[in-house]
Amino acid sequence: MNKDSRHAASESQGLDREALDRTMAKTMNLFRAEMGDGEFRRFSELIQSEFGIKMPPTKKVLLQSRFQKRLRALGMHSYKEYCDYVFSDEGRERERSHLVDVVTTNTTHFFREPKHWEIMNTMVLPELWGRGVGQGRPLRLWSAGCSSGEEPYTLAMVMAEFATRVSGFDFAILATDISREILQKAMRAVYSMEKVDEIPQTMRKRYLLKSKTKPLFKIDAPLRSKVSFQQLNFMEDFRIQEAQDIIFCRNVVIYFDRDTQVVLFNKFCNHIKTGGYLFIGHSESLSGMRLPLRQIAPTVFQKIG
């Protein structure tokens, strides 16, 4: 390499280093940036009014951390810049759906809260079947806040197993969530080895397909066909076309304030058939709420009127 070539190469490397230094500086500035109290207040009011999720001042650091990926994706370097964008006309149209994905928590797994499945098999399904529910028309179930699909597919497996024991039983499952991104994942119905380890071996063999090249499993087509997915925001005046026999809304309303919880559970009661059932999370309570429900087991209720 001659002198000119060496000089050019050295100059090129210097430019590359300068570009890298500038990128690193921007990244460091981003992580040093802090959300102002004004921006946090605007975000928290928006999140509660549109999504029903409480965002007290203690959540400021969490919100700041979660928003970092959106700032990176948009090439922004301050929370004020992002806040102004979210509240702009363009941001209202393009960013609100991403905002939902960032602030919602999607912790779930197959056969979560095992006691519920025992109650379903020993009490709820036999009682409904004894009244003729699931005969002549499908038993209707709603997984409200379905996240990435583990709950509705667990419901589908439990219902399919019951159908092997009683001839003529049919069912249909509605699964809803506020996040379009997480619904897309649920509809793909592909899960890792760690996830499906929670499914009993007999059901894995019956309802799952294993990838030939990767440690992944997919819910088989017949079971997937029993579940329909729909985007739904609990804070809107939603309407479900068919009244439901069973509603699962577990560990969703814990993020809402008490007044919002009361409104939401009244809406659920309006969508359950008389004699139908509501399952809530073990960290949730209906205590003090005037609802047309009677408790049949911890966190399991039946509509009485």
Side-chain angles (χ1 to χ4, degrees):
M1 182 182 293
N2 61 35
K3 183 178 179 181
D4 290 342
S5 297
R6 287 196 300 272
H7 177 73
S10 176
E11 189 175 72
S12 175
Q13 290 171 359
L15 290 172
D16 289 344
R17 280 196 297 271
E18 287 176 12
L20 179 60
D21 289 343
R22 285 196 298 272
T23 300
M24 290 180 66
K26 286 181 179 179
T27 302
M28 291 177 70
N29 285 335
L30 170 62
F31 286 99
R32 280 202 298 265
E34 291 189 6
M35 186 185 297
D37 291 340
E39 286 88 61
F40 175 74
R41 188 162 49 251
R42 293 182 75 190
F43 280 130
S44 62
E45 289 172 357
L46 172 68
I47 291 165
Q48 180 148 3
S49 65
E50 291 215 359
F51 314 132
I53 299 172
K54 294 180 294 183
M55 200 60 61
T58 53
K59 299 283 189 180
K60 180 180 173 181
V61 173
L62 173 66
L63 194 64
Q64 180 174 294
S65 173
R66 289 190 174 186
F67 278 176
Q68 284 175 358
K69 73 173 187 178
R70 292 307 304 154
L71 268 67
R72 285 196 295 267
L74 295 166
M76 296 179 178
H77 302 106
S78 75
Y79 293 97
K80 183 182 185 306
E81 185 181 3
Y82 182 59
C83 185
D84 290 342
Y85 176 66
V86 167
F87 284 91
S88 69
D89 291 341
E90 180 182 341
R92 285 188 183 92
E93 183 178 343
R94 296 187 178 183
E95 187 63 18
R96 294 293 170 92
S97 62
H98 293 294
L99 199 66
V100 174
D101 296 329
V102 171
V103 302
T104 51
T105 302
N106 294 298
T107 302
T108 186
H109 52 80
F110 289 101
F111 289 91
R112 188 180 190 181
E113 300 186 9
K115 189 67 177 178
H116 279 168
W117 309 110
E118 179 184 335
I119 293 168
M120 180 74 80
N121 278 311
T122 61
M123 296 175 61
V124 172
L125 289 178
E127 194 275 332
L128 288 170
W129 178 253
R131 289 195 278 117
V133 180
Q135 306 172 50
R137 70 156 179 89
L139 180 146
R140 299 191 181 280
L141 308 99
W142 176 15
S143 171
C146 67
S147 188
S148 46
E150 287 88 334
E151 180 177 273
Y153 291 129
T154 299
L155 278 169
M157 285 183 241
V158 171
M159 297 303 114
E161 290 293 292
F162 187 73
T164 66
R165 301 193 295 272
V166 293
S167 177
F169 177 73
D170 192 16
F171 65 94
I173 298 170
L174 170 66
T176 67
D177 201 277
I178 191 173
S179 169
R180 294 185 185 279
E181 181 178 312
I182 205 70
L183 284 172
Q184 290 296 321
K185 183 175 181 180
M187 287 186 278
R188 285 195 294 273
V190 175
Y191 299 96
S192 66
M193 177 77 75
E194 293 77 16
K195 281 281 189 180
V196 303
D197 277 348
E198 300 154 347
I199 302 173
Q201 182 67 32
T202 54
M203 294 189 194
R204 264 184 268 170
K205 290 180 178 179
R206 198 169 289 163
Y207 305 117
L208 272 62
L209 303 171
K210 189 178 186 302
S211 168
K212 294 180 180 178
T213 58
K214 299 177 181 179
L216 298 173
F217 292 80
K218 184 166 187 170
I219 306 296
D220 73 359
L223 201 71
R224 293 201 313 273
S225 71
K226 306 300 288 186
V227 184
S228 60
F229 291 92
Q230 178 182 325
Q231 195 271 341
L232 187 144
N233 183 347
F234 289 149
M235 299 305 292
E236 296 174 354
D237 186 21
F238 60 82
R239 295 280 192 277
I240 301 299
Q241 189 172 4
E242 299 282 351
Q244 304 294 302
D245 299 296
I246 300 172
I247 295 179
F248 267 59
C249 186
R250 304 186 301 170
N251 305 305
V252 176
V253 304
I254 53 174
Y255 303 105
F256 301 166
D257 62 40
R258 184 68 172 179
D259 289 344
T260 303
Q261 291 178 8
V262 171
V263 170
L264 184 56
F265 280 121
N266 272 286
K267 287 183 179 180
F268 286 144
C269 288
N270 291 336
H271 286 86
I272 304 175
K273 286 180 175 291
T274 299
Y277 293 86
L278 171 67
F279 287 72
I280 66 173
H282 287 302
S283 58
E284 297 164 335
S285 171
L286 303 186
S287 178
M289 297 186 191
R290 299 185 65 180
L291 301 168
L293 300 170
R294 70 180 183 96
Q295 187 168 346
I296 65 164
T299 66
V300 182
F301 301 83
Q302 185 176 32
K303 185 174 178 181
I304 56 176

